[in-house]
Amino acid sequence: MITRMFVQVCLYFYCKCLWRCLKFVVRKLTGQCELQRICYNTKPGAARTMKIEASLKGSKSKRLQTSVSVHPDAIEKTIDDIMELKRINPDINPQLGVSLQACLLQIVGYRNLIAEVEKLRREMYDSENPQHEEMLLKLWKCLKPNSPLKARISKQWCEIGFQGDDPKTDFRGMGLLGLYNLVYFAEWDTEIAQQVLSDSLQPKYREVTKKEPSQFSKAEWEKKKLDKAIGYSFAIVGINITDLAYNLLVSGALKTHFYNVAPEAPTLTHFQQTFCYLMHEFHKFWIEEDPLDIMEFNRVREKFHKRLLKQLQNPEMALCPHFAASESLINM
């Protein structure tokens, strides 16, 4: 065991030294540092920004390592420091400064977005806070404009997918972030949100073939015959998809998407638009999976999560480059 660890440590330092020697040789041959080669040879987007981020983090210089976590207002000064440290003349290489600025805005912006999202997640819903209450009531009005809420504490909340007569208890897992996302979806993509809500409540009639019963046990088929509803709670699923989006963000999986869609710093709006996209896509995925009942939710969610992770491994991937309500769901 100790021998194995020793070999791994030696291999790590050998590869690290070899890589630095290789970088030194390439710089001497090309006359360009690694940052220059990346900026000049890689088109703008996730591929370039992620390479710049890896290069800065992997640098032996502490100044370069910390450049990915500076305050947005300090980015221009940081770029000047990088150019000075790398002995690059900005007058001869003006495009390098522009490219580095775009990359650093995305890198720093992503870190700040995580902090902003985390702050919302940690803030619990407070029924004594007028702003919280106002947002909750706005959610109802956007989703059920023709059905006035009879009382703040009411079984009517179950009609939009909450578990009881007071939604505040359902926000404990994701805090205000869950409410923010649901309100954004309902307010800015109202038609799709109302359609998804309606679908989640309505039976899903489909033609039953003669072959189909043979694919299930008798008990499964009897249950499937009687339970043809799409069958999930809109609000609860929305909070769950918020959790999925949050984990994709924190793990760094969403870097590919945000670095491709946000020309500068990704913002909370980008995150909320991504949530809308995920709600839309999960709804279609749920229908395609045709689960027996809501007890299969975790299986379907995990399968959906794995599909997203696979998509986001592609450096060209943008989940919703120009997010807009999709007509495909309305015509489904």
Side-chain angles (χ1 to χ4, degrees), residues 3 19 27 32 39 45 74 88 96 98 100 106 117 127 133 135 138 157 224 239 246-247 249 258 267 274 308 310 322:
T3 304
W19 174 244
R27 172 155 192 172
Q32 295 178 341
C39 288
I88 300 170
L96 180 62
V98 175
L100 283 176
Q106 291 182 317
V117 166
S127 57
E133 288 286 287
M135 285 187 69
K138 181 189 286 187
W157 290 111
K224 198 170 185 69
I239 294 170
Y246 166 78
N247 284 298
L249 177 73
F258 285 136
T267 64
T274 303
L308 286 170
K310 186 176 180 180
H322 304 289

Side-chain angles (χ1 to χ4, degrees), residues 248-266:
L248 288 174
L249 177 73
V250 172
S251 69
L254 279 179
K255 284 182 179 180
T256 309
H257 166 63
F258 285 136
Y259 290 170
N260 282 326
V261 301
E264 294 185 345

Side-chain angles (χ1 to χ4, degrees), residues 12-237:
Y12 167 77
F13 283 107
Y14 173 76
C15 292
K16 194 170 183 179
C17 291
L18 184 63
W19 174 244
R20 283 182 175 169
C21 289
L22 182 61
K23 283 169 61 175
F24 176 78
V25 171
V26 173
R27 172 155 192 172
K28 288 298 181 182
L29 291 174
T30 63
Q32 295 178 341
C33 69
E34 186 178 38
L35 295 176
Q36 287 175 295
R37 295 195 301 274
I38 294 171
C39 288
Y40 295 153
N41 300 322
T42 311
K43 67 179 183 180
R48 186 179 73 176
T49 301
M50 292 174 79
K51 285 179 181 179
I52 291 292
E53 187 173 12
S55 178
L56 292 171
K57 285 182 176 179
S59 174
K60 61 183 179 182
S61 167
K62 287 291 183 183
R63 288 169 67 187
L64 292 185
Q65 290 174 15
T66 57
S67 64
V68 297
S69 56
V70 298
H71 190 276
D73 294 340
I75 287 178
E76 286 189 24
K77 173 65 167 58
T78 301
I79 292 170
D80 291 339
D81 291 343
I82 292 173
M83 302 283 267
E84 181 183 351
L85 188 65
K86 290 292 184 178
R87 297 175 185 173
I88 300 170
N89 188 332
D91 296 326
I92 300 175
N93 302 273
Q95 187 56 42
L96 180 62
V98 175
S99 299
L100 283 176
Q101 183 177 28
C103 291
L104 280 179
L105 281 169
Q106 291 182 317
I107 295 166
V108 172
Y110 192 92
R111 291 172 64 93
N112 291 341
L113 176 59
I114 290 177
E116 185 177 5
V117 166
E118 182 64 30
K119 184 178 178 181
L120 285 173
R121 188 186 73 86
R122 289 177 178 271
E123 186 175 354
M124 292 296 101
Y125 185 91
D126 181 5
S127 57
E128 299 298 318
N129 188 315
Q131 290 182 326
H132 295 187
E133 288 286 287
E134 184 181 347
M135 285 187 69
L136 183 60
L137 295 175
K138 181 189 286 187
L139 177 63
W140 176 271
K141 290 176 183 177
C142 289
L143 292 173
K144 306 279 284 185
N146 300 319
S147 301
L149 190 65
K150 296 177 182 177
R152 166 61 181 80
I153 308 296
S154 169
K155 287 294 183 184
Q156 281 182 282
W157 290 111
C158 296
E159 295 176 21
I160 61 173
F162 286 105
Q163 292 179 321
D165 56 9
D166 190 352
K168 72 176 183 180
T169 57
D170 292 325
F171 291 116
R172 282 175 295 193
M174 282 285 108
L176 278 189
L177 184 63
L179 179 58
Y180 266 61
N181 279 350
L182 284 169
V183 170
Y184 186 92
F185 187 30
E187 186 175 19
W188 296 103
D189 204 24
T190 308
E191 189 175 6
I192 289 296
Q194 289 177 352
Q195 184 68 53
V196 171
L197 171 62
S198 176
D199 286 351
S200 71
L201 298 170
Q202 299 301 322
K204 181 182 61 175
Y205 296 107
R206 58 188 177 83
E207 187 177 345
V208 179
T209 65
K210 292 181 180 179
K211 293 181 180 179
E212 204 163 1
S214 64
Q215 297 174 3
F216 304 95
S217 68
K218 185 175 180 181
E220 285 178 330
W221 175 246
E222 288 300 317
K223 190 173 184 180
K224 198 170 185 69
K225 274 202 309 182
L226 296 172
D227 186 12
K228 295 179 184 175
I230 290 176
Y232 64 72
S233 300
F234 175 88
I236 296 301
V237 168

Side-chain angles (χ1 to χ4, degrees), residues 281-297:
E281 288 299 304
F282 180 80
H283 180 68
K284 293 191 295 182
F285 189 75
W286 177 268
I287 295 171
E288 290 166 6
E289 284 294 299
D290 194 22
L292 284 171
D293 54 37
I294 195 63
M295 298 304 291
E296 289 197 73
F297 178 81

